[in-house]
């Protein structure tokens, strides 16, 4: 079943980069991701084909799990087939650099989010910088995976316990988040969740609140700096 | 008893004395890394094949690099090579845009004056004659033991043989004592070194090190988000996890490319607390 992205425009709709899809899934938490992001949620067709399906078809170890992502009923592929869309992807790819295929997923995510006004869940730093750069197309709101989890817990979409468990499972392997997984980090996470909980009812509803983007990330960063 | 004499030896000694004087080092043992850094020279250590040799000194314009091979010899040898290459930097500057000195065997008999000068410079810089005389003052030559020499090798960061030759060339011991100490130390140096604690910088000289300026530039690119963590890892010749840990340790958190917008966060907090306008 396909869904027309044009019928689901606006910041209350999320577009996922490959990283959250792969890491939530690899740790067995695709259901948690589904609960957080809602239906429909989008990701570029490029990511589904090149970063999810193609590795899976190699039959190698962990990639076999990717079938769960392809089967997720709430996740829909979107693409930009017109000239303007292709050109925008190409420009973003040029900005993000890397080898010919590197960063193409991020370029597609950002181009799609620009066009449809979506909020993006993305870890890639180059991609996030491009998303925040008003001088290079519209600003695209982005949040980290840990922010998605903490705000989701604050707004009661999932429990704080579940949110931390997922963050810990992913971050213990990735070790690249703005928040680590030590005991002190857990206290910081809890404080952030408490602050986000106070926003519930006073600001945009879930998941539209995520369109506040990096301000939500920054709250976690500043809370961490406060120790 | 000033052995090793000759013009190259004097040139090297004068250069080392001048540098020690300029940097206010007196005749105390030095950290050669610090001295190299204070002269505006970058120091890098990489694992090259043994036939690559001991080290290189490279100058391009106003940029200077000492490159050492971590695969050759031990920390003492690497330290001496570092001092030798610094000797090229101090003694052999000219107006050429690009200068390269290749040292495949730092301890080989050198006919080339520049190499002999650099060796003399290194020996004087690492272990000044005055300091050695003071260290061995009142000890008759025949009573100087290999243990005492090993103690000095650790103080000055030189190999056993280099130190024995150094005290001889500095006129502190006779050729007879030199030969006795060389014979007495043969095959025993490691055993004797175990009696003393090693130098703090030994591990440094045996571990690949990128130039500090290069590392700082890579981190700056990462901080400003021109490169990803993966590219940073590639540039630092390490794993992504280690690059992340490195950035973390130097207080470089990934969000600093886009500094947190404190005003926006304060506004959000105010909204959460119900204090918003």
């Amino acid at each position: 079943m396909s869904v027309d992205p044009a019928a689901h425009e606006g910041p209350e709709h999320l577009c996922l980069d490959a990283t959250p899809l792969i890491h939530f899934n690899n740790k067995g938490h695709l259901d948690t991701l589904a609960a957080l992001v809602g239906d429909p949620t989008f990701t570029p067709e490029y990511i589904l084909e090149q970063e999810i399906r193609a590795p899976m078809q190699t039959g190698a170890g962990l990639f076999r799990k990717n079938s769960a992502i392809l089967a997720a009923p709430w996740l829909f592929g979107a693409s930009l087939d017109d000239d303007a869309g292709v050109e925008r992807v190409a420009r973003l790819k040029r900005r993000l650099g890397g080898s010919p295929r590197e960063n193409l997923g991020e370029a597609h995510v950002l181009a799609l989010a620009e066009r449809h006004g979506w909020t993006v869940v993305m870890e890639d730093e180059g991609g996030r910088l491009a998303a925040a750069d008003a001088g290079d197309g519209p600003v695209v709101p982005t949040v980290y995976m840990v922010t998605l989890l903490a705000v989701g817990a604050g707004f009661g979409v999932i429990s704080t316990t579940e949110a931390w468990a997922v963050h810990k499972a992913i971050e213990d392997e990735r070790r690249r988040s703005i928040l680590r997984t030590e005991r002190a980090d857990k206290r910081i996470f809890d404080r952030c969740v408490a602050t986000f909980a106070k926003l519930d009812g006073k600001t945009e509803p879930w998941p539209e609140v995520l369109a506040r983007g990096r301000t939500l990330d920054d709250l976690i960063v500043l809370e961490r700096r406060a120790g | 008893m000033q052995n090793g004499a000759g013009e190259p030896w004097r040139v090297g000694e004068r250069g080392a004395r001048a540098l020690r004087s300029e940097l206010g080092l007196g005749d105390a043992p030095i950290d050669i890394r610090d001295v190299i850094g204070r002269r505006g020279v970058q120091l890098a250590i990489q694992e090259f094949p043994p036939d690559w040799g001991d080290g290189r000194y490279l100058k391009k314009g106003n940029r200077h690099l000492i490159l050492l091979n971590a695969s050759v010899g031990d920390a003492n040898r690497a330290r001496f090579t570092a001092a030798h290459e610094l000797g090229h930097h101090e003694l052999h500057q000219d107006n050429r845009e690009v200068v390269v000195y290749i040292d495949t065997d730092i301890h080989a008999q050198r006919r080339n004056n520049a190499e002999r000068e650099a060796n003399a410079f290194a020996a004087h810089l690492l272990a000044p004659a005055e300091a050695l005389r003071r260290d061995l003052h009142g000890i008759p030559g025949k009573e100087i033991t290999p243990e005492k020499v090993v103690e000095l090798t650790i103080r000055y960061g030189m190999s056993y043989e280099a130190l024995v030759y150094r005290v001889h060339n500095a006129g502190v011991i006779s050729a007879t004592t030199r030969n006795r100490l060389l014979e007495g130390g043969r095959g025993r140096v490691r055993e004797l070194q175990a009696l003393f604690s090693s130098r703090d910088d030994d591990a440094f000289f045996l571990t690949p090190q990128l130039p500090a300026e290069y590392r700082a530039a890579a981190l700056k690119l990462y901080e400003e988000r021109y490169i990803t963590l993966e590219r940073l890892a590639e540039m630092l010749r390490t794993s992504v996890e280690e690059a992340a840990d490195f950035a973390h340790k130097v207080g470089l958190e990934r969000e600093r490319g886009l500094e947190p917008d404190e005003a926006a966060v304060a506004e959000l907090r105010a909204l959460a607390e119900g204090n918003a306008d």
Side-chain angles (χ1 to χ4, degrees), chain A residues 123 175-176 202 214 218, chain B residues 230 245 254 259 261 272:
Chain A
E123 298 290 309
R175 295 166 64 197
R176 293 187 224 171
K202 296 175 186 165
R214 57 173 281 237
D218 288 351
Chain B
E230 286 78 2
D245 280 347
R254 58 179 293 173
E259 269 301 302
D261 185 340

Side-chain angles (χ1 to χ4, degrees), chain A residues 103 123-126 128-129 132 144 173-178 180 195-196 198-199 202-203 212 214-216 218-219 221-225, chain B residues 222 224-230 240-242 244-245 248 253-262 264-265 267-269 271-274:
Chain A
N103 294 322
E123 298 290 309
D124 180 83
E125 297 172 43
R128 290 171 56 89
L129 184 63
Y144 289 119
E173 184 174 289
R174 284 190 84 236
R175 295 166 64 197
R176 293 187 224 171
S177 172
I178 54 172
R180 299 297 177 98
T195 303
F196 292 137
K198 290 178 187 171
L199 282 172
K202 296 175 186 165
T203 182
R212 287 181 177 258
R214 57 173 281 237
T215 303
L216 302 167
D218 288 351
L219 188 140
V221 170
L222 291 173
E223 199 66 55
R224 194 203 62 219
R225 285 189 187 175
Chain B
Y222 174 66
E224 296 187 353
R225 299 193 176 208
Y226 285 106
I227 58 171
T228 61
L229 188 63
E230 286 78 2
V240 169
E241 289 72 22
E242 285 182 2
D245 280 347
H248 187 64
E253 301 303 340
R254 58 179 293 173
E255 76 285 358
R256 284 175 67 180
L258 285 173
E259 269 301 302
D261 185 340
E262 297 193 22
V265 171
E267 201 175 304
L268 193 69
R269 286 186 193 281
L271 187 61
E273 299 299 333

Side-chain angles (χ1 to χ4, degrees), chain A residues 76-111:
Chain A
F76 296 90
S79 57
L80 289 163
D81 299 325
D82 55 285
D83 289 351
V86 172
E87 188 184 326
R88 185 64 185 137
V89 170
R91 281 193 54 199
L92 283 160
K93 167 69 184 93
R94 201 159 54 232
R95 174 182 174 141
L96 296 172
S99 60
R101 299 183 80 104
E102 203 176 348
N103 294 322
L104 256 176
E106 284 81 6
H108 278 89
V109 167
L110 295 179

